[in-house]
Amino acid sequence: MSAFPQADPERLWSTLQTMAALSEPGGGVTRLAYTRLERAAHEQFAAWMSDTGCEVRVDSAGNTIATRPGRNDGPAVGTGSHLDSVYHGGRFDGIAGTMAAVEVARLLHESGTVTELPLRFVAFAAEEGARFGQACCGSKLAAGLSARAELDERRDRDGISLADAMRSVGIDPDRAAASAWDPGEWSAFVELHVEQGSVLETARVDVGVVDLISGSTRIELTVLGQASHTGGTPMRGRADALAAAAEAVLIAERLALDPRHRGTRASVGRMVVEPGSITTIPGRVTFSLDVRDVDADRQRLAVAEIVARLRAACLRRGTRLEARLLADTSAVVLPDWVRNEVTAAATELALPYRVLTSGASHDAQMVNRVVPTAMIFVPSRHGLSHVPEEWTEPAQLAVGTDLLAASMLRLDARAAMLAAESATTGGAA
Ligand code: GLV
Ligand code: MN
Ligand code: MN
């Protein structure tokens, strides 16, 4: 059993509640990507991290990175998650991981622990795809995976581009690519997150270790029909855009339920009906389709099949279909050696764990492109997430944080050992 101090559930809880208060009014937490409220959350994170003796900087994508020096310079072990939310979301998604990072830094500071190499604690900007369609904007830039043009192309429901949203909070989109990480500065990364599913709750296990993160393809579909009088227009021969769009919802559901698609999730989460009048047949309906899968080919084939079936339905109904790609990400397999360090840390702490797959997207899947990454999950009550009812017990958050701290210390020791070996073999290791 490690002598490292345990996380304080009450302190973690009050840290989390302070973040929850940074929200738009209305149900749940609304703290959207690249808004003043998200920046305020980053400033709060920066202040807490400075109090633990870390050196804090905000990179050119708006990610906040706190560094705690080690005994020697060298590649750092990192942790972190995001501080933005969906519309009317919960208190835990993203926040659990960033608050766990704050708690680990506090425990290190209070116990006077000196690690072999530096540690870094990161709050990523704009993880949620809820506003712009694209998920993980800050970590995608950190991974060097975003083209400048994307920042102009991705727009929110009010037509504001990602680039303009960045400018509105003082971030220069033309400089955002400079945030790309140098892989040589990192040895490993571990993100803690709430599960957003019910595997851990069902198994009555407090921590999960992720093997695979689902990908997602998101498109915006527009059905164009003919608006007209609901009383004067006969039922036959109508070009009702909403009736066609309703078919899309059911086509997507039916396809994802087909046994050949076991594991595909397809959802229409947003629909705008125009002109939106009780007495006018809808002439135009715009809606989103989000298809997620752990199999990238099946994910894209599912989207193509849904669009093809819908196009046929639209033709039958005398309407026209337009489709526009919003975002497209493949599933990511996390490297087993980092996961093995996390599971070894769980064994050291005598914590039962479960290895499981993530249905949601995470910064970890972007970070893993440049730094070998692991993920720790803590349970979500009733599997609920992206809703105000999202809940994780403070004691479960604390257990996850203990595992995070122990994993980081193991990974730090491993990185230092490899650095020492490399030094004695003249860098050939
Ligand atoms: C992030 O929570 C996602 O939408 O997967
Ligand atoms: Mn999240
Ligand atoms: Mn989320």
Side-chain angles (χ1 to χ4, degrees):
M1 170 78 79
S2 155
F4 193 71
Q6 288 186 316
D8 177 345
E10 277 170 32
R11 180 167 65 181
L12 260 170
W13 192 248
S14 85
T15 311
L16 194 112
Q17 294 299 355
T18 304
M19 280 295 176
L22 294 171
S23 171
E24 298 284 355
V29 174
T30 302
R31 188 170 52 244
L32 299 180
Y34 291 129
T35 57
R36 256 329 306 161
L37 276 169
E38 188 203 31
R39 285 299 100 203
H42 276 250
E43 283 153 21
Q44 177 64 82
F45 173 78
W48 282 330
M49 295 310 295
S50 294
D51 289 345
T52 70
C54 287
E55 190 184 301
V56 185
R57 69 187 179 90
V58 179
D59 73 12
S60 56
N63 303 310
T64 303
I65 305 177
T67 302
R68 184 173 197 274
R71 191 167 287 122
N72 296 299
D73 253 351
V77 174
T79 188
S81 193
H82 61 99
L83 290 169
D84 61 322
S85 81
V86 298
Y87 297 90
H88 307 293
R91 282 171 281 183
F92 299 82
D93 177 357
I95 312 307
T98 27
M99 296 309 94
V102 171
E103 181 67 12
V104 171
R106 286 173 173 165
L107 295 171
L108 290 162
H109 184 58
E110 290 161 359
S111 61
T113 304
V114 181
T115 53
E116 296 296 329
L117 297 170
L119 299 183
R120 292 203 190 96
F121 304 88
V122 187
F124 291 105
E127 189 268 358
E128 295 290 358
R131 181 172 180 195
F132 294 103
Q134 175 66 57
C136 308
C137 298
S139 51
K140 194 174 177 200
L141 281 157
L145 297 171
S146 284
R148 173 64 186 83
E150 261 183 50
L151 307 180
D152 290 321
E153 285 159 11
R154 310 271 191 260
R155 286 177 185 272
D156 72 4
R157 52 170 77 166
D158 299 317
I160 299 169
S161 69
L162 244 173
D164 283 341
M166 291 169 112
R167 278 188 204 99
S168 76
V169 292
I171 298 165
D172 179 356
D174 295 329
R175 291 194 54 253
S179 60
W181 288 2
D182 172 356
E185 291 182 356
W186 303 80
S187 60
F189 196 91
V190 186
E191 178 177 4
L192 180 145
H193 204 281
V194 290
E195 183 199 330
Q196 307 179 284
S198 52
V199 173
L200 295 177
E201 186 180 61
T202 305
R204 295 174 185 275
V205 171
D206 280 344
V207 285
V209 188
V210 177
D211 55 358
L212 186 61
I213 304 176
S214 293
S216 71
T217 301
R218 294 170 191 163
I219 58 173
E220 184 183 80
L221 292 156
T222 305
V223 179
L224 298 153
Q226 178 58 60
S228 187
H229 197 290
T230 51
T233 315
M235 287 308 290
R236 290 209 184 280
R238 288 185 176 196
D240 183 332
L242 182 56
E247 291 215 32
V249 178
L250 298 178
I251 288 168
E253 185 189 51
R254 231 173 273 135
L255 180 128
L257 283 169
D258 183 319
R260 286 177 303 129
H261 277 274
R262 222 179 114 77
T264 304
R265 283 90 64 211
S267 321
V268 173
R270 180 177 140 76
M271 191 171 267
V272 179
V273 180
E274 294 171 86
S277 160
I278 293 174
T279 55
T280 309
I281 297 164
R284 179 189 179 101
V285 177
T286 308
F287 58 102
S288 62
L289 174 69
D290 181 10
V291 177
R292 312 225 189 183
D293 211 308
V294 291
D295 178 328
D297 289 342
R298 193 174 57 179
Q299 177 180 307
R300 283 160 197 142
L301 282 172
V303 173
E305 199 169 330
I306 292 168
V307 171
R309 288 191 207 172
L310 175 60
R311 213 175 274 292
C314 284
L315 205 64
R316 251 190 350 264
R317 290 180 168 277
T319 58
R320 200 154 56 78
L321 181 69
E322 288 175 359
R324 187 168 73 87
L325 184 68
L326 296 176
D328 184 51
T329 312
S330 296
V332 167
V333 180
L334 297 177
D336 60 0
W337 74 261
V338 199
R339 185 167 74 242
N340 292 344
E341 291 295 332
V342 177
T343 56
T347 304
E348 263 174 29
L349 296 174
L351 282 180
Y353 63 87
R354 175 85 190 243
V355 175
L356 76 177
T357 293
S358 172
S361 308
H362 296 292
D363 291 311
Q365 73 196 89
M366 296 298 170
V367 172
N368 186 59
R369 303 280 180 189
V370 281
V371 183
T373 296
M375 278 200 89
I376 295 170
F377 273 175
V378 289
S380 295
R381 189 166 71 188
H382 306 322
L384 293 173
S385 185
H386 281 185
V387 288
E389 301 95 298
E390 203 175 68
W391 184 265
T392 302
E393 290 297 330
Q396 293 172 323
L397 278 176
V399 168
T401 305
D402 289 337
L403 178 57
L404 175 64
S407 304
M408 291 179 78
L409 292 175
R410 276 188 74 94
L411 287 162
D412 172 64
R414 182 184 190 277
M417 193 187 70
L418 290 177
E421 272 176 23
S422 168
T424 54
T425 56

